[in-house]
Amino acid sequence: MSAEAADPGAPLRRRSRPRIDLRRLGRVALRGPVSRDRLPDAISHVAEAHRAHHPDADLTILRRAYVLAESSHRGQMRKSGEPYITHPLAVTLILAELGAETTTLTASLLHDTVEDTEVTLDQVKEQFGDEVCYLVDGVTKLEKVDYGAAAEPETFRKMLVATGNDVRVMSIKLADRLHNMRTLGVMRPEKQARIAKVTRDVLIPLAERLGVQALKTELEDLVFAILHPEEYEETRALIAAAKSPDAPLETIAENVTHTLRDAGISAEVLIRPRHFVSVHRVRRKRGELRGTDFGRLLVLVGEDADCYAVLGELHTCFTPVISEFKDFIAAPKFNLYQSLHTAVVGPEGAVAEVLIRTHRMHKVAEAGVVALGNPYAQDPAAPPQTEPSDERADPTRPGWLSRLLDWQESATDPDTFWTTLRDDLAQDREITVFRTDGGTLGLPAGASCVDAAYAQYGDRAHTAIGARVNGRLATLSTVLSDGDTVQPLLAQDTASGPSPDWLDHARTPAARIAITGWFSDHPDEAKPDPETVGSASSGAQSEPSSEREAPGAAAPARGRSGPRPTGVVVDDPNAQVRLAGCCTPVPPDELTGFVVRGGAVTVHRRECPAVTAMQEIGRAPVAARWADGEGRESDAGCRVTLVAESFGRPRLLADLTEAIATADAAIVSATVEPPSEQRVRHTYTLRLPDAAGLPGLMRAMRDVAGVYDVSRAQHPAPAG
């Protein structure tokens, strides 16, 4: 695989560094030791790139690291036929061009010495210090001899834990994988595909989350070429055909340059070609590509205020496409990215996307955490730390990484960890919600009150009964939005546990693992299948089940380990049967069922609105009836959701609760909506010992003063 695959726009770049000839470097590396007063020729390119970002850097330690790496790897060859030392040299050059500081470059030169040579960590520590030793140890793979099939997931776990203490560990790993992907063509096709899939599922999302776009985009193109060769070649041909000296982007770039110059704004206007995967995505989205779809304009300025000045001029002198405007300066992405995005209409109706950022923002956008240097360097102006700490506070550690480090401790099984890690990394957007005590919680987009409860309270969230979102009572299934204030409500009964339905609303691995763990410890309860812990990813990325598509239908309780006794018989005797939470059927209700994802049959009352919605979308009903024709459930009793409409008054909730208890019914969950025009709506999910007691219970609730109606629920029941 040539590096050209990941650089489709190379001819359009205004400034570029020539590609390094690794075979020539290999020959230089084998020339033997050099005098102590000069730098080895083999790392002169690294030194040049490093000094471009750090003019005052001391290169002595790089020289010593290269001498140790070259002597240790001497005689080893890569599958491509090059001396092995060319690999750590190439990895170090990638990091140097991104602006990595000296410690990172030192560790990258040595990153394979402990794994592939006789050099030990103690030797690295003795010669280069604790930090370099930590970084080298962080990227060193675990031995297959010791871990077997678990070696790969456990190696990634080890790297992620090390990254939690020092983000530079993952920077080295990403550069290491990039160079390996560039030279993957010498491998067997099946091994290329396996490595490419792991890169796609784990390393590319990590590069995105750490903001290292320069590595992410090239990795995407290399993976694209291996896993989708035909589409890659089609995209390559489209890009080649679109290159023209009179391309519409060139014209718009000249107009923008003149406009900003006339306005007295000092700015650099560049054409930023889209990489292969980006062009492919645009093509899939729009069908037919426009001439301006092969690149975007990049406007670089000196100060933050200049970004908004440029935006004002562009929107004044060109016709803006308002729907394309995004402000990632005022609200940066969770991966440190900052920029203004807009689009303007140029001559002859050509639409050009424009990115506006400062030079510093551009450096961070390209290199992410690599551009931040050493996050642990002491500020000379800061007061000395009086008490040493075992853990280093990492100012660059994002919330998603902290959450990952928390849940991985509970995922002791390597397969569960590996599956859950891929699903967690697939959720590529993050929201921030506020706690009532003034703190914040970082959660993936699509997270619910269930996730907020476990993020705030850990295992205590097993007793959650609801939440307040922005001051209003809400069910645990409520999906949170960026900026919401959430207050999970916990029951006083510490012996209560979660509902299996919570897995339908949990988006964070921490919540899914905790819920599944509780059921593992309580086998007598309805237990979810442990596989759902890893497979329940964001709803935006999985095909919704038929019940989710139906208005008014309840989310199915996925992953039961076996059919829970329902007293219901369906046509397929081997099917798992469950009662719908939206209408909670009880004997002698007329029944009908529908097959949902996984082959389970969810049974509804025939008059449930979800039944009509299912039939409208073409879902075939499944015949269902109560067992033995008696209309009675098993010894577990029956579950029903009732809605009580009442006028507001003091002690109303207490009187209703007493009436329910007198009827020998147990409250599974309860929700009280805020009063509206002096009217209050109570929703109770109850468990009765026998369905025959339901009419009496409803009469007892109607007899409570102020209650004017009690009915069976016809809408999704609250998560309990």
Side-chain angles (χ1 to χ4, degrees):
M1 179 62 57
S2 78
E4 184 184 3
D7 191 17
L12 295 179
R13 294 185 184 275
R14 301 197 173 183
R15 286 177 293 184
S16 62
R17 184 180 298 275
R19 179 68 64 191
I20 304 302
D21 185 346
L22 291 178
R23 292 188 180 276
R24 186 179 64 80
L25 280 183
R27 291 193 296 271
V28 172
L30 294 174
R31 290 176 182 170
V34 299
S35 62
R36 300 179 62 88
D37 58 348
R38 71 182 184 90
L39 204 65
D41 291 339
I43 57 171
S44 60
H45 296 286
V46 172
E48 178 187 351
H50 188 37
R51 282 279 173 84
H53 294 276
H54 303 278
D56 300 326
D58 182 2
L59 302 178
T60 304
I61 190 172
L62 289 180
R63 177 196 177 281
R64 291 196 291 113
Y66 168 76
V67 169
L68 176 60
E70 192 280 324
S71 60
S72 302
H73 289 296
R74 188 174 296 167
Q76 296 178 349
M77 307 296 286
R78 304 194 78 215
K79 290 185 182 298
S80 58
E82 300 157 352
Y84 194 88
I85 188 61
T86 60
H87 171 65
L89 277 171
V91 172
T92 306
L93 181 60
I94 290 170
L95 291 168
E97 290 180 331
L98 288 175
E101 38 70 57
T102 309
T103 302
T104 304
L105 301 185
T106 303
S108 68
L109 281 169
L110 301 170
H111 79 273
D112 276 339
T113 54
V114 174
E115 182 179 325
D116 295 332
T117 76
E118 299 299 321
V119 174
T120 65
L121 282 173
D122 288 339
Q123 289 176 292
V124 173
K125 182 176 181 179
E126 180 182 353
Q127 296 187 42
F128 300 97
D130 291 339
E131 282 195 310
V132 172
C133 177
Y134 185 87
L135 297 178
V136 172
D137 184 30
V139 295
T140 299
K141 295 178 184 177
L142 298 174
E143 293 288 346
K144 277 193 175 182
V145 175
D146 299 325
Y147 288 85
E152 185 172 38
E154 290 301 332
T155 293
F156 270 97
R157 189 201 297 264
K158 171 175 174 280
M159 289 180 187
L160 287 167
V161 171
T163 300
N165 285 328
D166 196 324
V167 292
R168 294 174 293 181
V169 171
M170 192 53 64
S171 300
I172 297 172
K173 177 59 183 177
L174 290 171
D176 172 65
R177 178 55 59 93
L178 175 57
H179 183 246
N180 284 333
M181 289 293 295
R182 285 176 176 174
T183 57
L184 205 59
V186 297
M187 300 285 187
R188 300 187 310 275
E190 58 271 21
K191 188 167 185 179
Q192 290 185 40
R194 186 187 68 79
I195 295 174
K197 288 176 181 177
V198 174
T199 303
R200 176 196 63 194
D201 295 342
V202 178
L203 287 164
I204 288 176
L206 283 170
E208 167 73 17
R209 293 190 176 203
L210 292 172
V212 195
Q213 294 296 319
L215 302 187
K216 179 222 172 191
T217 54
E218 187 172 351
L219 285 171
E220 281 186 327
D221 284 347
L222 292 166
V223 168
F224 185 36
I226 292 172
L227 298 183
H228 306 282
E230 293 181 1
E231 293 172 306
Y232 172 82
E233 288 301 330
E234 290 178 6
T235 306
R236 183 187 188 91
L238 287 171
I239 292 174
K243 293 175 181 177
S244 170
D246 57 348
L249 270 181
E250 293 282 355
T251 303
I252 299 176
E254 291 179 6
N255 292 342
V256 169
T257 300
H258 292 316
T259 298
L260 298 181
R261 184 184 303 131
D262 293 343
I265 300 175
S266 177
E268 185 178 4
V269 180
L270 304 172
I271 294 177
R272 185 175 177 82
R274 289 185 183 274
H275 63 295
F276 279 24
V277 171
S278 180
V279 172
H280 178 66
R281 287 171 181 158
V282 173
R283 184 189 180 197
R284 291 184 61 184
K285 178 181 177 181
R286 296 184 181 152
E288 185 175 348
L289 292 172
R290 305 172 303 200
T292 54
D293 287 336
F294 293 92
R296 293 182 286 188
L297 298 186
L298 175 63
V299 181
L300 299 177
V301 294
E303 302 293 337
D304 290 12
D306 295 335
C307 294
Y308 293 96
V310 169
L311 181 70
E313 288 297 323
L314 294 183
H315 282 194
T316 300
C317 301
F318 297 85
T319 301
V321 182
I322 300 302
S323 61
E324 296 291 331
F325 173 67
K326 297 180 181 69
D327 187 346
F328 294 119
I329 294 179
K333 289 186 177 182
F334 67 92
N335 61 358
L336 308 176
Y337 178 86
Q338 286 185 288
S339 188
L340 293 178
H341 289 205
T342 190
V344 296
V345 181
E348 300 180 359
V351 177
E353 295 183 36
V354 185
L355 311 177
I356 309 167
R357 59 179 72 142
T358 65
H359 290 278
R360 180 185 177 280
M361 291 176 192
H362 181 58
K363 181 179 179 181
V364 174
E366 290 292 291
V369 294
V370 179
L372 301 181
N374 183 357
Y376 315 104
Q378 290 292 325
D379 184 354
Q385 189 175 0
T386 55
E387 296 184 5
S389 172
D390 292 336
E391 293 187 5
R392 296 185 292 187
D394 186 352
T396 67
R397 181 196 286 186
W400 64 265
L401 181 54
S402 296
R403 292 196 307 274
L404 189 155
L405 295 174
D406 288 340
W407 68 252
Q408 67 85 24
E409 293 181 356
S410 303
T412 54
D413 176 67
D415 290 337
T416 299
F417 165 76
W418 195 231
T419 304
T420 307
L421 174 65
R422 296 185 185 195
D423 289 334
D424 190 19
L425 293 175
Q427 303 178 61
D428 59 355
R429 292 194 305 114
E430 186 168 288
I431 63 172
T432 299
V433 298
F434 296 92
R435 295 165 25 176
T436 52
D437 61 5
T440 60
L441 297 173
L443 298 171
S448 67
C449 293
V450 171
D451 299 297
Y454 281 97
Q456 183 169 350
Y457 294 112
D459 287 346
R460 289 175 55 201
H462 293 328
T463 64
I465 56 175
R468 289 185 182 273
V469 178
N470 301 325
R472 298 173 65 89
L473 287 171
T475 63
L476 287 168
S477 61
T478 301
V479 176
L480 299 169
S481 299
D482 198 30
D484 281 347
T485 298
V486 60
Q487 179 187 8
L489 304 176
L490 306 184
Q492 294 183 352
D493 180 12
T494 57
S496 61
S499 163
D501 296 341
W502 289 9
L503 280 176
D504 291 313
H505 315 300
R507 292 291 173 266
T508 58
R512 296 198 297 270
I513 290 172
I515 294 167
T516 305
W518 189 90
F519 284 110
S520 296
D521 295 336
H522 300 78
D524 293 336
E525 300 292 334
K527 184 168 66 174
D529 188 340
E531 291 183 2
T532 62
V533 177
S535 63
S537 60
S538 171
Q541 295 176 339
S542 60
E543 183 179 352
S545 70
S546 58
E547 287 206 73
R548 289 191 182 274
E549 297 168 346
R558 290 182 303 215
R560 301 275 178 87
S561 60
R564 185 177 182 177
T566 60
V568 174
V569 177
V570 298
D571 286 348
D572 184 357
N574 297 319
Q576 177 182 337
V577 180
R578 53 190 174 219
L579 301 180
C582 54
C583 56
T584 53
V586 297
D589 293 335
E590 295 292 325
L591 305 177
T592 188
F594 293 92
V595 178
V596 297
R597 186 172 55 187
V601 176
T602 299
V603 177
H604 299 258
R605 294 163 59 194
R606 283 192 179 175
E607 62 267 30
C608 177
V611 173
T612 303
M614 289 281 203
Q615 291 172 335
E616 287 178 351
I617 63 174
R619 300 307 300 269
V622 175
R625 67 183 188 279
W626 295 108
D628 302 325
E630 299 179 358
R632 303 186 65 85
E633 279 203 321
S634 67
D635 294 337
C638 69
R639 177 169 166 154
V640 64
T641 299
L642 300 179
V643 178
E645 305 280 354
S646 61
F647 297 105
R649 67 169 178 84
R651 288 191 53 79
L652 173 63
L653 181 60
D655 291 344
L656 270 170
T657 304
E658 183 178 356
I660 292 170
T662 303
D664 201 20
I667 299 177
V668 178
S669 66
T671 302
V672 181
E673 298 180 13
S676 175
E677 299 180 354
Q678 299 301 314
R679 298 182 181 184
V680 183
R681 180 185 178 96
H682 300 245
T683 303
Y684 297 94
T685 299
L686 309 171
R687 184 170 296 283
L688 284 74
D690 195 297
L694 179 58
L697 169 63
M698 296 176 69
R699 284 195 300 270
M701 294 175 66
R702 289 192 188 101
D703 289 340
V704 173
V707 177
Y708 59 84
D709 188 29
V710 175
S711 61
R712 300 278 295 279
Q714 295 290 344
H715 54 79

